[in-house]
Amino acid sequence: MARAFLFPGQGSQAVGMGKALGEAFAEARAVFAEVDDALGAPLSTLMFEGPEAELTLTANAQPALMAVSLAAIRVLEAQAGLDLSCDAAFVAGHSLGEYSALAAAGALSIADTARLLRLRGKAMQAAVPVGEGAMAALLGVELEAAREIAAEAARGAVCQVANDNGGGQIVVSGTKAAVERAIEIAKGRGVKRAVPLPVSAPFHCMLMQPAADAMRAALATTRIDAPRVPVVANVTAAPAREPEEIRRLLVEQVTGTVRWRECVDFMAGEGVDKFVECGAGKVLTGLLKRIAPQAAGISVGAPADLDAYRGFV
């Protein structure tokens, strides 16, 4: 039996996330305090109390989700005997969750991760004027068919596969008109559902190149250590172990496809049969059921989850 630890991405945020962990455990409070100090702002108050509209802003949601994920890891280490170096075959995170995975594995400090994600969120939001980009979910379609739909829809503009989430769920991203064309083409090809997503920017496509450039500059001066556990990277669906490789892949990730289905398939193929999602929500645990139904999954984001975790492992 082998375990992997997963870290959620944007969309899993909710007002109140992490609050119960912070109330129950000093280890969680220490993480939240470290993130607040790194950002010079009370992000934890926003996480616990809202307002939701402000928490959902990309520049807030990204470091906030990381904070809850790292709080969950620290609590598991202190209260449930977790030692990632011994207990995890791999770690992986969805989009911004890859930064959480790297911090959990010791490649990045929590403070640096918070600052990087605040910058990443701001840079991604600023890369494309509001209203000029869009994203859409295509449900009931496989990767190659989605790529063909995106290519046909582009017509000289940008339309790319942003996320391959597994279970026939593909997200496309690009200019607003091209994504709207992709929705119509998908419907014409019998795709089960094709729906626009309520996002503030077209993530994980070439329109994000200005954000990739900003992250390249920031990562160039950030200390990255070799992770204690191999990190399965979004853009390669393969383990990354060397600091310079990690630096390069984090830049590529901004404009590249999140190959989540392949990431989970890789880990399952390497013998992982238990997956632990750390942080807010249960999105990745839900996707796991569609990608690797033979594997078991559990989410840890509140004090009540600790007993379930102890029984799970």
Side-chain angles (χ1 to χ4, degrees):
M1 291 188 295
R3 275 176 273 168
F5 288 75
L6 309 179
F7 300 86
Q10 203 160 335
S12 291
Q13 71 274 358
V15 173
M17 65 181 189
K19 185 175 183 180
L21 278 179
E23 290 173 344
F25 301 110
E27 296 82 11
R29 292 194 295 275
V31 171
F32 298 144
E34 186 172 355
V35 171
D36 286 352
D37 288 346
L39 298 179
L43 183 65
S44 58
T45 301
L46 179 61
M47 289 157 51
F48 302 158
E49 301 175 8
E52 183 178 6
E54 192 172 345
L55 177 62
T56 302
L57 293 174
T58 304
N60 292 327
Q62 294 199 16
L65 285 162
M66 181 277 297
V68 181
S69 288
L70 268 292
I73 282 287
R74 295 291 182 262
V75 169
L76 287 175
E77 290 171 339
Q79 303 295 328
L82 171 65
D83 180 349
L84 273 182
S85 299
C86 300
D87 298 336
F90 303 100
V91 295
H94 192 286
S95 191
L96 81 90
E98 189 165 312
Y99 285 78
S100 306
L102 288 162
L108 290 168
S109 72
I110 290 176
D112 281 344
T113 308
R115 287 188 286 263
L116 286 168
L117 286 173
R118 168 60 54 88
L119 173 64
R120 184 176 182 269
K122 287 182 175 179
M124 292 174 91
Q125 188 62 65
V128 180
V130 174
E132 291 189 12
M135 299 179 78
L138 309 183
L139 307 179
V141 64
E142 296 308 316
L143 179 59
E144 281 308 314
R147 283 177 174 156
E148 291 174 6
I149 290 167
E152 183 179 334
R155 296 183 192 172
V158 173
C159 189
Q160 293 173 232
V161 171
N163 302 348
D164 177 5
N165 288 329
Q169 182 189 119
I170 307 285
V171 176
V172 296
S173 180
T175 59
K176 188 171 186 289
V179 170
E180 288 173 348
R181 286 195 293 269
I183 290 172
E184 293 310 310
I185 292 167
K187 289 176 180 177
R189 295 192 181 181
V191 171
K192 188 189 300 181
R193 288 185 67 202
V195 293
L197 295 177
V199 295
S200 56
F203 304 124
H204 296 291
C205 74
M206 292 310 299
L207 297 174
M208 289 287 111
Q209 188 59 49
D213 295 339
M215 294 312 297
R216 180 181 292 106
L219 286 160
T221 59
T222 300
R223 174 174 174 167
I224 300 179
D225 295 321
R228 292 176 289 143
V229 181
V231 180
V232 180
N234 284 185
V235 295
T236 61
R241 297 180 174 88
E242 300 301 324
E244 289 311 308
E245 178 189 20
I246 290 167
R247 210 182 302 273
R248 174 176 58 80
L249 293 175
L250 286 176
V251 175
E252 291 180 12
Q253 189 221 54
V254 178
T255 57
T257 300
V258 175
R259 296 166 59 183
W260 189 249
R261 173 183 57 82
E262 293 173 84
C263 288
V264 174
D265 277 344
F266 169 80
M267 290 183 279
E270 292 292 307
V272 174
D273 57 0
K274 291 187 174 183
F275 292 83
V276 182
E277 180 176 5
C278 298
K282 300 180 180 181
V283 170
L284 301 183
T285 306
L287 292 177
L288 176 68
K289 294 174 183 176
R290 298 204 290 266
I291 302 170
Q294 75 282 5
I298 190 173
S299 57
V300 177
D305 298 328
L306 285 181
D307 284 341
Y309 172 81
R310 293 185 185 103
F312 183 72
V313 300

